[in-house]
Amino acid sequence: MATLHTVNKSPFERSSFISALNHTVPGDKVLMIEDGVISARKGNTFADLVSSALSDCSVYVLAPDLAARGIAEGDLVEGVQTIDYGGFVDLVAECDRTQSWL
Amino acid sequence: MAMDEAGGAPGAAKKFLYVNRKAPYGTIYALESLEVVLIGAAFEQDVQLAFLDDGVYQIVKNQSTDAIGAKNFSPTYKALGDYEVTKLYVEAEALEERGLTADDLMEITFEDEDDDWAEKPSINIVSRADMAKIMSEQDVILSF
Amino acid sequence: MAYDFNGATIEADEEGYLVDLSVWNPDLAVLIAEDEKIVMNDEHWEVVNFLREYYDEYQIAPAIRVLVKAMKKKFGGDKGSNKYLYELFPYGPAKQACKIAGLPKPTGCV
């Protein structure tokens, strides 16, 4: 009965990333897209939040958005998974509902 | 109603949650959400509204938009009861972070058909953890 | 479109709803009603006035089922029915009565 939470804004610009993490329940999936991928780079201010979210949720980033911003997969917070557009569709289909943290 | 039932039998009411996270007037999200709620109410589903983050500002009282040239649509939330939308969840932490309390919110009520039309409050203040739980129990979430 | 009201031009949208709600007055309502082939009587006015009060309070024109329910509560079962309202406003009570009341088209009404 998982919820897919999508975040498309940088955590430095908007609070939607933190809000999303605050409203997950164990087993939920969080997907960073567009500027949302910025929170998944290791060493950033929000990296620890991503790590703690990984304790009971899965965290994904959309690879094309990562590449567009020059972030290598090796530069991600450990445990964050990359997916492509097909993987995005699979996640939406797998989850029972989607909440977009606009 | 259990989730599996809701997803199963055709025609059974599904649980719809409208998530409102933006203050009114600065962007169009709040008004758009309200319009979709009113239109969607005709489909007789189990509709609930969530107010969190800046969305709590949508239902604060004493809104006056005369000087900004925008229509004050806050009175419309009081009509939701007529549309059988009677469950408005407001996150306690979102209020507190913004220096607001439940007393800063409009009085929004509905008349309970099953209780001799007694007037009851539509607003329920819930904790962040409960809000997360409410979200996890929906069939459909509409995000604004 | 526009209404020719005592020599003045009152602006309306392509369906006949007033562009500026504040220009409404009862005489203009009679004129809009004529355009809808309706001769206003007390029953028509009851609905039109009710809609204006509802709009004043909530800033929306109610959907038809909400109007029916609210009419029933205020005026009793005979007047709180689709049949009664459609007899008064054959082309749709919400649409026609709102137009005559000088209100926008009800939300969700196509």
Side-chain angles (χ1 to χ4, degrees), chain B residues 18 20 30 33-42 47-51 58-59 73-89 106-111 120 122-123, chain C residues 54 57-58 60 65-66 69:
Chain B
Y18 291 79
N20 299 291
S33 172
L34 184 57
E35 291 196 337
V36 176
V37 169
L38 293 173
I39 295 165
V47 174
Q48 296 143 93
L49 272 54
F51 296 89
Q58 294 178 23
I59 53 171
F73 53 89
S74 65
T76 306
Y77 292 94
K78 296 187 181 197
L80 287 172
D82 291 347
Y83 286 76
E84 281 152 37
V85 175
T86 60
K87 283 172 282 189
L88 278 59
Y89 298 108
M106 295 188 288
E107 206 175 312
I108 302 175
T109 59
F110 70 102
E111 290 170 340
K120 298 183 177 178
S122 299
I123 292 180
Chain C
Y54 196 93
E57 187 168 359
Y58 300 118
I60 47 163
R65 67 195 176 85
V66 173
K69 204 164 68 174

Side-chain angles (χ1 to χ4, degrees), chain C residues 6-46:
Chain C
N6 297 340
T9 303
I10 306 286
E11 240 191 300
D13 69 11
E14 70 274 14
E15 293 177 88
Y17 293 86
L18 295 184
V19 172
D20 179 1
L21 312 187
S22 70
V23 303
W24 185 93
N25 63 57
D27 293 333
L28 180 56
V30 171
L31 181 80
I32 300 172
E34 274 172 21
D35 221 58
E36 297 283 326
K37 311 272 187 291
I38 286 171
V39 180
M40 294 294 283
N41 62 26
D42 288 351
E43 279 81 29
H44 291 108
W45 276 115
E46 210 164 57

Side-chain angles (χ1 to χ4, degrees), chain C:
Chain C
M1 65 169 280
Y3 295 102
D4 180 11
F5 180 62
N6 297 340
T9 303
I10 306 286
E11 240 191 300
D13 69 11
E14 70 274 14
E15 293 177 88
Y17 293 86
L18 295 184
V19 172
D20 179 1
L21 312 187
S22 70
V23 303
W24 185 93
N25 63 57
D27 293 333
L28 180 56
V30 171
L31 181 80
I32 300 172
E34 274 172 21
D35 221 58
E36 297 283 326
K37 311 272 187 291
I38 286 171
V39 180
M40 294 294 283
N41 62 26
D42 288 351
E43 279 81 29
H44 291 108
W45 276 115
E46 210 164 57
V47 178
V48 166
N49 288 331
F50 182 84
L51 283 171
R52 288 187 61 81
E53 282 163 25
Y54 196 93
Y55 189 84
D56 194 48
E57 187 168 359
Y58 300 118
Q59 299 298 303
I60 47 163
I64 176 67
R65 67 195 176 85
V66 173
L67 173 64
V68 167
K69 204 164 68 174
M71 287 282 296
K72 189 176 193 167
K73 202 176 157 217
K74 181 156 183 182
F75 299 110
D78 291 350
K79 294 182 175 180
S81 75
N82 269 307
K83 184 173 176 290
Y84 174 77
L85 290 167
Y86 268 93
E87 276 165 7
L88 290 175
F89 303 97
Y91 288 95
K95 275 189 193 179
Q96 266 186 320
C98 284
K99 196 184 289 184
I100 295 165
L103 306 182
K105 196 155 117 173
T107 302
C109 200
V110 283

Side-chain angles (χ1 to χ4, degrees), chain A residues 58-82:
Chain A
S58 317
V59 179
Y60 305 85
V61 289
L62 193 62
D65 285 328
L66 209 59
R69 287 156 185 81
I71 303 172
E73 291 197 18
D75 289 337
L76 293 176
V77 172
E78 200 179 327
V80 173
Q81 305 169 57
T82 56

